[in-house]
Amino acid sequence: MNLTTQNAINLISKDNELSKKAAFEMLNTCDTESFKTICDNSEQMFDFIIDKILKQLTLAANENNFKSTFEFAKTYNPIIGQFINNIWLKFANEDLTDEILEILENGTNDQKIYAAKYFERVNDPLALELLSKYAFCENTDLSIACATTLGAFNDYTSHNTAISMLNENDDFKKFSAITFLINYGKKDDISIILKELENSPFAANIAAEILYKHDLKELKNYLNKDEILKLYDEIISSYPEDIGLETALDFNILEFTQEYSLKKDSYSQRVLTDLKNVFTLICSDNIYTYDLNKDYLKGIKDINEKLKAFHSEVDIISEELFKSQKRAQRAINTLIALNDPSCCEKIKELYATTDNAILLCECARAAKSFGFKLEEEIGLKKINEANALELFKSYF
């Protein structure tokens, strides 16, 4: 940590009296510099230090000094900043609500985030117009805070706007709408969102947002097996480069492994095989895990040990070749990685029956990998797109 002020250093002191005095000093003098340096260092702090900071600052707030938090709110931090909203709620009244409404309209973006969160608990209808205005803005933290608060209001105008945005041709607008719906918190929307994963370039990000918001046990109450697999498929396909490995614990990967490794359908078999392959890779080289703390590292190793007992059924996985394009494409990758030629006849069958240019190219790649022949003329007749055609030819 690199705390740059004496009040910040004293606030985390083991001496409770010194810590208490620093908290009062920060609020009484509106010491924004100390608040900022604490926020800047929050990710390096242990949980018990965070708890102490939140407790001392909350206890130090009184009617004479708590409005210093209006200035503190110019630095947004989802961890340390919790105390700002706690204090605002503690002193909530009609006058304070008017002041926070003014902040929501004219404050900095960081101040607006705290203000939006305040109205999640204080449902003043005067805030609705501004919350709706910022719900799809470019500032992610602000748009999420507004979406969550609009969900607390049950504001269906903004909800319906998000639903209609899913029909846009713009992937970024769709992603904005999906982010809104996830944070709006209507569970029925998750099945709608899952339909967007097939073609969205942000599929892994969307899956991660859902899994941060809802744990596996909760999801099983309103999603079917394949919908849950679709979420985890996106996460597993993005390990270890695009999705952080600490999410293995956050997303209950061990529990997922224990349950789905027992299932014999093609989707479960393929996803669990991919999971086993990626965790074998992760645990084979500490380049992937050197920056994980000991709890996360232990979690990764526990998952890997559990996966060692999983046996991939190539014949069952081969059935995935005749599902959606994305599932078939990933199944080809999985089968190539398994290097079991018993799947070759199924790949030949897919090649003979599909008109999908991507899958034709993937079949040709698999044929080259396994060393069997395909009739090149079939692909040449079906593939019209120039780049796909060149890729296809490169495999012969």
Side-chain angles (χ1 to χ4, degrees):
M1 284 190 295
N2 182 30
L3 298 174
T4 58
T5 71
Q6 195 60 51
N7 273 338
I9 293 167
N10 291 347
L11 184 62
I12 65 170
S13 170
K14 293 180 180 178
D15 183 335
N16 281 332
E17 287 304 313
L18 189 61
S19 177
K20 188 183 297 183
K21 183 179 178 181
F24 275 107
E25 182 75 12
M26 284 178 62
L27 284 159
N28 287 339
T29 64
C30 195
D31 184 358
T32 55
E33 188 179 350
S34 290
F35 181 73
K36 186 177 187 308
T37 192
I38 289 166
C39 290
D40 289 344
N41 286 272
S42 61
E43 291 186 2
Q44 284 77 51
M45 293 178 180
F46 293 113
D47 288 346
F48 74 89
I49 294 177
I50 298 288
D51 291 343
K52 180 170 190 171
I53 290 169
L54 297 177
K55 178 182 177 182
Q56 295 288 36
L57 287 171
T58 302
L59 289 172
N62 57 48
E63 290 183 355
N64 297 318
N65 66 19
F66 84 91
K67 288 188 180 179
S68 292
T69 56
F70 290 176
E71 291 300 311
F72 291 178
K74 290 178 180 178
T75 299
Y76 176 66
N77 184 284
I79 302 171
I80 304 298
Q82 293 176 65
F83 99 93
I84 293 176
N85 282 113
N86 290 340
I87 289 172
W88 288 0
L89 292 169
K90 179 180 178 181
F91 293 101
N93 58 36
E94 189 173 335
D95 288 340
L96 179 61
T97 297
D98 287 343
E99 290 183 80
I100 295 175
L101 190 63
E102 173 68 20
I103 289 173
L104 183 62
E105 183 171 12
N106 297 313
T108 67
N109 278 342
D110 282 7
Q111 286 177 310
K112 288 174 182 178
I113 297 166
Y114 290 107
K117 290 186 174 187
Y118 173 81
F119 288 110
E120 183 182 357
R121 297 285 298 277
V122 179
N123 291 161
D124 188 331
L126 293 176
L128 273 174
E129 182 178 352
L130 290 168
L131 292 166
S132 299
K133 176 182 176 181
Y134 305 133
F136 303 100
C137 71
E138 292 183 0
N139 185 299
T140 302
D141 290 317
L142 178 56
S143 64
I144 287 173
C146 290
T148 303
T149 297
L150 288 165
F153 272 91
N154 288 316
D155 177 60
Y156 272 84
T157 301
S158 55
H159 178 270
N160 291 339
T161 298
I163 293 293
S164 67
M165 286 170 66
L166 295 178
N167 296 318
E168 299 272 359
N169 290 323
D170 187 320
D171 286 327
F172 289 97
K173 285 186 178 180
K174 280 188 176 183
F175 183 57
S176 178
I178 289 167
T179 300
F180 175 91
L181 292 171
I182 291 169
N183 290 285
Y184 186 87
K186 190 169 178 282
K187 294 180 176 64
D188 291 346
D189 288 337
I190 297 180
S191 291
I192 297 172
I193 293 166
L194 287 175
K195 294 176 183 176
E196 301 296 324
L197 291 189
E198 186 69 22
N199 298 309
S200 174
F202 307 108
N205 305 84
I206 294 166
E209 286 296 319
I210 293 172
L211 289 169
Y212 275 125
K213 199 84 171 176
H214 309 277
D215 66 24
L216 178 58
K217 184 177 180 181
E218 183 184 357
L219 288 171
K220 288 191 289 188
N221 291 327
Y222 43 88
L223 294 183
N224 63 40
K225 175 182 65 63
D226 280 5
E227 288 175 325
I228 290 173
L229 280 165
K230 182 178 280 193
L231 284 174
Y232 279 91
D233 190 9
E234 295 302 334
I235 300 299
I236 292 161
S237 296
S238 299
Y239 281 150
E241 286 87 2
D242 298 327
I243 297 288
L245 292 177
E246 68 279 357
T247 61
L249 270 66
D250 299 334
F251 298 161
N252 308 110
I253 295 289
L254 181 59
E255 181 185 345
F256 173 80
T257 299
Q258 290 168 332
E259 181 169 346
Y260 282 81
S261 62
L262 302 174
K263 299 184 185 298
K264 293 298 183 182
D265 62 283
S266 62
Y267 204 178
S268 298
Q269 281 282 306
R270 197 268 297 162
V271 171
L272 263 293
T273 299
D274 289 349
L275 182 61
K276 181 176 181 177
N277 288 343
V278 77
F279 270 73
T280 299
L281 171 66
I282 289 165
C283 292
S284 69
D285 192 333
N286 66 7
I287 191 173
Y288 299 109
T289 57
Y290 73 94
D291 59 345
L292 294 177
N293 69 38
K294 63 180 182 180
D295 292 331
Y296 284 121
L297 183 58
K298 181 181 182 302
I300 295 289
K301 289 180 177 178
D302 288 345
I303 294 166
N304 190 50
E305 283 301 312
K306 184 68 179 178
L307 285 164
K308 285 180 179 178
F310 175 74
H311 175 67
S312 302
E313 301 281 352
V314 172
D315 288 346
I316 296 176
I317 293 170
S318 297
E319 296 171 15
E320 282 291 285
L321 297 172
F322 307 98
K323 306 297 182 182
S324 70
Q325 176 194 303
K326 181 181 281 189
R327 284 171 63 175
Q329 194 172 347
R330 287 179 175 168
I332 290 173
N333 286 331
T334 306
L335 293 167
I336 290 173
L338 289 171
N339 196 30
D340 185 331
S342 64
C343 66
C344 294
E345 290 304 313
K346 290 289 186 181
I347 293 173
K348 291 177 183 178
E349 182 182 344
L350 173 63
Y351 180 75
T353 56
T354 187
D355 292 322
N356 185 292
I358 292 174
L359 293 182
L360 288 164
C361 290
E362 288 295 281
C363 288
R365 180 170 70 91
K368 185 175 181 179
S369 178
F370 282 108
F372 64 84
K373 297 290 186 182
L374 290 175
E375 188 177 338
E376 185 178 4
E377 191 64 26
I378 291 176
L380 293 176
K381 287 180 179 178
K382 292 181 177 180
I383 299 173
N384 299 313
E385 201 275 319
N387 290 335
L389 192 59
E390 288 305 311
L391 177 63
F392 176 79
K393 289 176 180 179
S394 72
Y395 294 124
F396 287 87

